[in-house]
Amino acid sequence: MNATDVARYLKDHPDFLVEHGELFTQLTVPHPHGGQAISLAERQLHALRDKIRLLEGKLAELIRFGEENDEIGEKVHRLTLGLLEAEDYDGLRFALFENMRDDFAVPNVALRVWNSVLTREGEDFAPVSEEVRFFAGDLRHPYCGVPANLEIVDWFGDFAPHVRSVALVPLRREAQVFGLLALGSEEGERFYSEMGTLYLSRIGDLVASALRRQLG
């Protein structure tokens, strides 16, 4: 009989250890965190304690994620109210930029709009190259990562040389992209390729809806 046979026998006969409970104290195994020998009962107790610590760590992580999501949700809610209360385009732009900078701590914000029914003077409606339009049109989700497109980086003006990571959020009218919201940070890890984009997508939907209401 080998170890596999013994293990299989114990699984097939769960009452064995009940009928031979003295084995828990008579048999010894190495301590999981040291060299001394301990009983099977003590070993099981250590295993349970390790599992409890692991579960406590996962619970604490879930609570932290929940609190972070609640905080982000509150910020998105305030942005939504600001966009809804905006009476004109200037008010909409102010609400968007102020929320991104004050609530989300994004120091650099830029907006470009094209193919709208109404246009205005100002940098938000400055001409955009076909390359950028094609890039934005191909986005299925917000882009997060290094600022690879120099034209978009230049939208940040004097802060452009200091931008190390960006989030680029496409603004859609149904399936057509008509603009791009660009967020820039001096921190290289603020926006990274593996980060979740759920809230960025929702922000893009909110901004696009508000813009369509103002510009057609």
Side-chain angles (χ1 to χ4, degrees):
M1 179 177 288
N2 56 36
T4 302
D5 295 330
V6 174
R8 184 182 300 112
Y9 178 85
L10 292 175
K11 289 182 179 179
D12 294 340
H13 300 81
D15 292 337
F16 177 82
L17 292 176
V18 176
E19 297 171 356
H20 301 79
E22 70 279 2
L23 290 176
F24 282 108
T25 57
Q26 292 175 356
L27 296 178
T28 59
V29 294
H31 192 288
H33 306 301
Q36 72 272 28
I38 59 175
S39 68
L40 287 176
E42 289 180 279
R43 179 65 180 84
Q44 187 177 29
L45 181 60
H46 282 288
L48 289 174
R49 286 174 177 170
D50 289 341
K51 181 177 290 187
I52 289 172
R53 280 193 291 268
L54 179 63
L55 291 175
E56 287 176 340
K58 289 184 177 180
L59 177 60
E61 186 177 33
L62 287 174
I63 292 174
R64 179 170 59 83
F65 286 156
E67 291 174 345
E68 290 177 354
N69 285 335
D70 288 344
E71 183 179 353
I72 295 174
E74 180 63 28
K75 293 176 181 179
V76 174
H77 178 66
R78 285 196 291 269
L79 171 62
T80 303
L81 293 178
L83 296 177
L84 288 174
E85 293 171 355
E87 297 182 355
D88 52 25
Y89 179 80
D90 291 336
L92 182 158
R93 188 181 192 277
F94 177 81
L96 172 61
F97 280 51
E98 181 181 48
N99 183 274
M100 290 293 104
R101 289 167 178 164
D102 294 346
D103 261 357
F104 287 93
V106 178
N108 306 298
V109 184
L111 179 67
R112 287 296 184 276
V113 178
W114 56 85
N115 291 338
S116 62
V117 175
L118 301 177
T119 58
R120 293 172 175 269
E121 297 293 332
E123 60 184 9
D124 297 352
F125 299 91
V128 175
S129 69
E130 286 191 0
E131 178 186 355
V132 170
R133 295 191 186 199
F134 288 143
F135 167 80
D138 289 339
L139 289 177
R140 294 296 173 263
H141 306 283
Y143 167 86
C144 297
V146 296
N149 189 289
L150 295 180
E151 178 182 347
I152 295 176
V153 175
D154 285 341
W155 296 352
F156 298 118
D158 294 339
F159 297 98
H162 308 289
V163 172
R164 295 292 176 267
S165 64
V166 296
L168 307 178
V169 186
L171 307 175
R172 291 186 172 84
R173 181 189 295 106
E174 297 179 351
Q176 182 184 20
V177 174
F178 69 93
L180 197 64
L181 173 64
L183 310 175
S185 174
E186 298 176 4
E187 302 173 13
E189 297 301 321
R190 176 65 188 276
F191 302 111
Y192 54 94
S193 58
E194 296 84 10
M195 70 182 293
T197 58
L198 174 63
Y199 282 107
L200 286 172
S201 295
R202 290 180 177 176
I203 289 173
D205 292 341
L206 290 170
V207 174
S209 178
L211 286 171
R212 291 195 304 268
R213 182 165 55 90
Q214 293 290 342
L215 301 174

